Amino acid sequence: MKQYTLSDLHKMDTGFEHRSMLKLFFFGFVLYTLGYTMSVTASPIFIICDLMRLVGIGLFTISSIQMMSFRFENKYLKIIYTFYIIWLITVVLRGFTPNYNFIKTILFDPGSGLFLYFVPLILLVPKPPLFYKYLFSTAIILGILYLIHLGFDGSEFLNNKDDSSRDRLEVFVKILALPCGFLLMTFNYQPKKSQLIAFLVLSTVILLAIYRARRGLIFISGSIFIFTLLIFLYLNKRNIMLIIFSVLAGSLMLSYVITTSGIGDSKLLSKTKERGSEDTRSGVEDFYYADMQIKDWIIGRGMSGMVAAPIGIEVDSPTQDTEKELKQIILISY
């Protein structure tokens, strides 16, 4: 089929049906995401969380099917995409188990469930300007939900001795907060309110990541700020944002120097200092390499693929928690 023309996209923007389907799709996505993040809080009401996810699944599934169309800009993309979708189907089928608990898990877990493999289908949804408007709005809504979670559970996240709150923080950041990083790096296209909310969300992320010594989150959120600064310097000659970023970076660097030199004790960086050179990966990697066979390196182990891990991670049983996303991709092969 032919690719969409500007006229086609304009008609979709003004058409009631496509506009309604887009609203249902993003509303269902937010509802599903909120249901999941509520389910990992300290005191979840699972019946409400499950109901929210079920309704969300119904909304974004039905609306996306209504909007999808097998149109591509060139034959090369069409061929590669088709083979990739077929491969993902084989990955899902190789790991599928027909029982209630398994089906519930793959439907309700956005991080390692079934819908992770359906993400490439978004390529089949036509994207008029209205699509991106709703996409940006959804990222802002997720960021606000993150701040609300933070308001309710902030005291737990500041407790360095509570490992469960650390895990919840990472879930909230990865699912709710990080989409604001996309808004921050495209600030030139965002209104001032969206820029402010995105900056506030990512600032709390990097501060909490430093306080809880989450090195991965520090790297991710820090990279977003660095690239945003580079983009800003490339696009603008004004220096107000440069001053803000410089003050933030300078404060963190000064606090780190004071802490490491023994002159003072920065509570913000003390935990990061303790874990700065701690090796939490070698044991996992040793088990990973020992357990993987040649066939596993080539085609993976399917959607439910697991690998042996040190007892400290999960007692005497295999686990998917390899602590490195690249190895996870090789293990499952998606």
Side-chain angles (χ1 to χ4, degrees):
M1 297 181 69
K2 295 181 180 179
Q3 67 184 76
Y4 290 102
T5 63
L6 290 176
S7 177
D8 294 332
L9 295 176
H10 177 69
K11 289 179 181 178
M12 290 179 188
D13 257 359
T14 56
F16 174 78
E17 181 179 356
H18 191 77
R19 180 187 293 264
S20 300
M21 289 299 104
L22 278 176
K23 289 181 179 179
L24 286 177
F25 176 81
F26 284 108
F27 178 73
F29 177 78
V30 171
L31 197 62
Y32 176 81
T33 304
L34 180 59
Y36 175 72
T37 55
M38 288 176 60
S39 72
V40 300
T41 56
S43 302
I45 304 176
F46 285 109
I47 188 171
I48 296 178
C49 299
D50 292 350
L51 181 61
M52 291 175 65
R53 282 180 282 188
L54 278 175
V55 174
I57 290 171
L59 290 176
F60 69 65
T61 300
I62 294 173
S63 57
S64 60
I65 291 175
Q66 292 290 324
M67 293 187 292
M68 283 191 295
S69 178
F70 205 73
R71 291 190 181 188
F72 295 92
E73 295 182 0
N74 57 68
K75 291 183 178 180
Y76 173 77
L77 176 60
K78 181 178 181 180
I79 294 171
I80 296 298
Y81 180 81
T82 302
F83 277 112
Y84 182 55
I85 294 298
I86 293 173
W87 171 253
L88 290 180
I89 292 173
T90 65
V91 172
V92 171
L93 292 177
R94 283 189 293 130
F96 187 80
T97 304
N99 65 65
Y100 172 78
N101 289 330
F102 177 80
I103 293 174
K104 181 179 178 180
T105 299
I106 64 173
L107 287 178
F108 286 177
D109 186 355
S112 58
L114 181 65
F115 296 110
L116 183 66
Y117 304 89
F118 287 167
V119 170
L121 293 178
I122 197 68
L123 187 65
L124 301 180
V125 176
K127 301 172 185 63
L130 190 64
F131 176 90
Y132 297 101
K133 178 182 178 181
Y134 288 157
L135 180 65
F136 295 152
S137 299
T138 299
I140 286 295
I141 292 172
L142 294 180
I144 293 173
L145 291 175
Y146 163 77
L147 294 175
I148 293 174
H149 275 301
L150 207 60
F152 282 108
D153 302 323
S155 59
E156 295 183 17
F157 296 149
L158 295 176
N159 184 2
N160 274 323
K161 297 181 180 180
D162 187 358
D163 290 342
S164 62
S165 67
R166 176 202 64 196
D167 296 336
R168 287 195 295 273
L169 174 63
E170 292 201 355
V171 170
F172 294 154
V173 168
K174 292 178 181 178
I175 293 183
L176 297 177
L178 286 185
C180 284
F182 176 70
L183 299 180
L184 207 57
M185 290 190 289
T186 57
F187 65 90
N188 207 37
Y189 303 98
Q190 310 300 333
K192 295 295 183 181
K193 289 183 179 179
S194 297
Q195 294 178 20
L196 180 61
I197 293 173
F199 182 79
L200 177 62
V201 168
L202 268 296
S203 296
T204 61
V205 168
I206 194 169
L207 291 175
L208 281 172
I210 293 171
Y211 183 78
R212 294 302 301 262
R214 309 314 302 159
R215 291 170 293 185
L217 293 183
I218 294 173
F219 175 78
I220 294 171
S221 54
S223 298
I224 291 173
F225 276 114
I226 290 172
F227 281 109
T228 301
L229 176 60
L230 293 176
I231 294 171
F232 178 84
L233 293 176
Y234 178 78
L235 295 176
N236 302 275
K237 294 183 179 180
R238 294 172 296 175
N239 57 9
I240 181 65
M241 289 296 294
L242 178 60
I243 294 174
I244 294 175
F245 277 109
S246 298
V247 170
L248 178 62
S251 300
L252 293 176
M253 291 178 64
L254 180 61
S255 182
Y256 180 79
V257 170
I258 292 174
T259 302
T260 54
S261 63
I263 299 173
D265 183 17
S266 170
K267 293 182 178 180
L268 178 63
L269 290 169
S270 58
K271 187 66 176 177
T272 304
K273 177 188 174 185
E274 292 175 10
R275 295 196 67 222
S277 58
E278 181 183 352
D279 184 4
T280 60
R281 302 293 195 266
S282 296
V284 176
E285 292 179 352
D286 292 340
F287 274 75
Y288 184 95
Y289 292 126
D291 195 39
M292 292 287 282
Q293 307 297 320
I294 295 178
K295 176 177 70 69
D296 301 326
W297 286 103
I298 298 174
I299 64 173
R301 294 184 175 180
M303 180 174 60
S304 301
M306 304 188 82
V307 67
I311 294 177
I313 292 182
E314 189 167 336
V315 180
D316 295 330
S317 65
T319 179
Q320 280 190 325
D321 185 10
T322 59
E323 293 199 30
K324 286 191 176 181
E325 282 73 11
L326 179 58
K327 292 186 175 65
Q328 184 75 2
I329 292 173
I330 297 172
L331 170 64
I332 296 176
S333 192
Y334 58 77

